[in-house]
Amino acid sequence: MNRGLYNGQTNASVLVTGGAGYIGSHTCKYLASRGFLPVSYDDLSTGNRSSVRWGPLVIGDIGDTRSVAASIRRYQVSAVVHFAASAYVAESVTDPRKYFENNLIKTISLLNVLVDEGVKDFVFSSTCAIYGVPERLPISESHPKAPVNPYGESKLAIERVLRWYGEAYGLKWISLRYFNAAGADPDGEIGENHPIETHLIPSIFGSLASEAKALPIFGRDYPTRDGTAIRDYVHVSDLARAHGLALDSLRQNRGNRAYNLGTGNGYSVQEIVNIIEQVTGQRPRTEDLPGRKGDPPILIADASLANEELGWIPQHSRLDEMVSTAWQWHRMQKRDSAREVVAGS
């Protein structure tokens, strides 16, 4: 079958599953800036139709093999970037069936369609949750894999499937293991807008908007510099660029491996609260709660392999820029919502 050109030229088609979501939509914008045609494939269960601005939207489930195959043929898809998944860690513990169905079974179904349709290049959205509680820091790709929740387990299972599909069917793949995504599009066009918000920075903004809603801080007795948990935050636009670089690497037949995506710098929950107070001029009200079971005190990435082999260097991941872009997006959303209320009154 004649595929769209896969060399960065105009109209080269990339199927982006979950393209209406947070990281997916930012990646679509980046791919479009590179001359690709990003085809967003999303069931809109958690994604937003308004975030699909740089290519067509196909509304569908990745488990629907006929719909996926038809989309590949219609748009002459040359590569797939796969974000579509359930992604709430706590929910995965209480409802593992949902996570193994959506993240494992349906992804295998998607891979089977790619094999049947002759699409060879596949970039997978993975996670640092596959490592579990770290034995050493920073965490490199060779660190033992010991997930402590079904979400991480489902992602690790797909990484193992990819290895065998590569050997048996010639699938070329790259798995990108994110640490903590943060921030919003510097141009203010898209941002983080989840139906259930679990990420720290937008959760803090939510507490600022509600006098009755305190920000829960889970644990103040971790062995860290201020007692709160430390995480490695990376700007969503930097993550988007990594996917484009991964596609470049696959085009050059350099694939079938995993890369960490992080900055190598860790910030505590309290430090995030402090920088948000500086940026917004408002101090969120907090509520101290016990630490969560299995929650590591510190997670910091060693992303040197992505730097060396993909040429990936974070460009927007200073803490102040991540918070500032997220705050800009949050204020725009509040302003737009207020206009809608006035218009409808």
Side-chain angles (χ1 to χ4, degrees):
M1 182 179 296
N2 179 31
R3 298 289 175 207
L5 293 174
Y6 182 30
N7 57 7
Q9 296 183 24
T10 302
N11 294 328
S13 297
V14 178
L15 189 72
V16 182
T17 69
Y22 174 42
I23 305 175
S25 59
H26 285 78
T27 300
C28 286
K29 177 176 180 177
Y30 178 77
L31 292 177
S33 75
R34 289 277 311 279
F36 291 101
L37 175 67
V39 180
S40 295
Y41 189 97
D42 202 300
D43 66 3
L44 299 182
S45 59
T46 57
N48 300 283
R49 186 189 295 265
S50 61
S51 296
V52 181
R53 302 185 181 187
W54 294 276
L57 169 65
V58 178
I59 300 175
D61 189 301
I62 60 169
D64 184 342
T65 56
R66 290 186 179 181
S67 176
V68 173
S71 300
I72 288 171
R73 294 170 184 170
R74 177 181 179 185
Y75 293 103
Q76 295 188 307
V77 167
S78 300
V80 173
V81 180
H82 179 44
F83 295 100
S86 297
Y88 297 119
V89 170
E91 181 189 53
S92 79
V93 175
T94 59
D95 192 5
R97 177 177 178 175
K98 174 181 178 180
Y99 279 70
F100 290 116
E101 172 72 24
N102 289 345
N103 298 2
L104 179 56
I105 295 173
K106 289 185 179 181
T107 297
I108 292 174
S109 174
L110 170 67
L111 292 173
N112 290 341
V113 175
L114 302 191
V115 170
D116 292 342
E117 293 296 320
V119 178
K120 296 292 187 181
D121 291 0
F122 184 77
V123 180
F124 178 53
S125 167
S126 191
T127 172
C128 66
I130 70 168
Y131 296 116
V133 179
E135 297 179 2
R136 56 183 181 267
L137 294 167
I139 300 170
S140 70
E141 289 83 358
S142 63
H143 188 283
K145 285 51 171 195
V148 295
N149 53 66
Y151 169 65
E153 197 76 65
S154 68
K155 293 288 191 174
L156 179 58
I158 289 300
E159 289 200 7
R160 290 171 171 158
V161 168
L162 289 173
R163 173 198 164 190
W164 295 109
Y165 272 51
E167 291 189 13
Y169 308 121
L171 183 74
K172 296 186 296 177
W173 59 270
I174 286 178
S175 180
L176 299 177
R177 299 169 180 165
Y178 316 153
F179 279 63
N180 286 55
D185 173 38
D187 297 328
E189 293 186 287
I190 45 177
E192 191 165 10
N193 187 13
H194 298 127
I196 302 173
E197 190 52 73
T198 60
H199 288 179
L200 177 61
I201 292 173
S203 294
I204 296 176
F205 293 153
S207 70
L208 292 176
S210 172
E211 294 183 0
K213 184 179 179 181
L215 173 75
I217 294 183
F218 296 98
R220 283 195 177 271
D221 56 356
Y222 288 108
T224 62
R225 50 185 172 262
D226 61 22
T228 61
I230 290 175
R231 295 293 181 264
D232 188 333
Y233 295 87
V234 57
H235 197 283
V236 64
S237 294
D238 288 327
L239 293 178
R241 180 170 173 267
H243 291 80
L245 294 173
L247 288 173
D248 291 342
S249 186
L250 291 174
R251 188 181 68 239
Q252 297 161 13
N253 293 313
R254 294 186 289 110
N256 296 30
R257 67 180 310 156
Y259 296 97
N260 287 341
L261 297 180
T263 65
N265 298 311
Y267 300 101
S268 73
V269 173
Q270 187 59 56
E271 286 169 334
I272 299 293
V273 171
N274 293 344
I275 192 68
I276 285 180
E277 181 180 9
Q278 293 176 27
V279 169
T280 67
Q282 304 176 58
R283 183 164 187 81
R285 188 167 62 87
T286 61
E287 177 185 8
D288 293 345
L289 296 176
R292 293 174 290 197
K293 183 179 179 181
D295 216 357
I298 305 174
L299 290 175
I300 296 177
D302 175 356
S304 57
L305 193 64
N307 172 236
E308 294 166 8
E309 297 191 0
L310 298 180
W312 181 74
I313 300 173
Q315 299 174 345
H316 301 282
S317 293
R318 296 190 323 273
L319 182 56
D320 60 340
E321 183 170 358
M322 287 187 284
V323 170
S324 295
T325 55
W327 178 237
Q328 176 189 16
W329 167 254
H330 178 77
R331 287 188 299 171
M332 288 174 59
Q333 294 300 104
K334 284 182 61 178
R335 185 166 59 246
D336 290 346
S337 296
R339 288 172 179 168
E340 290 177 4
V341 170
V342 171
S345 60

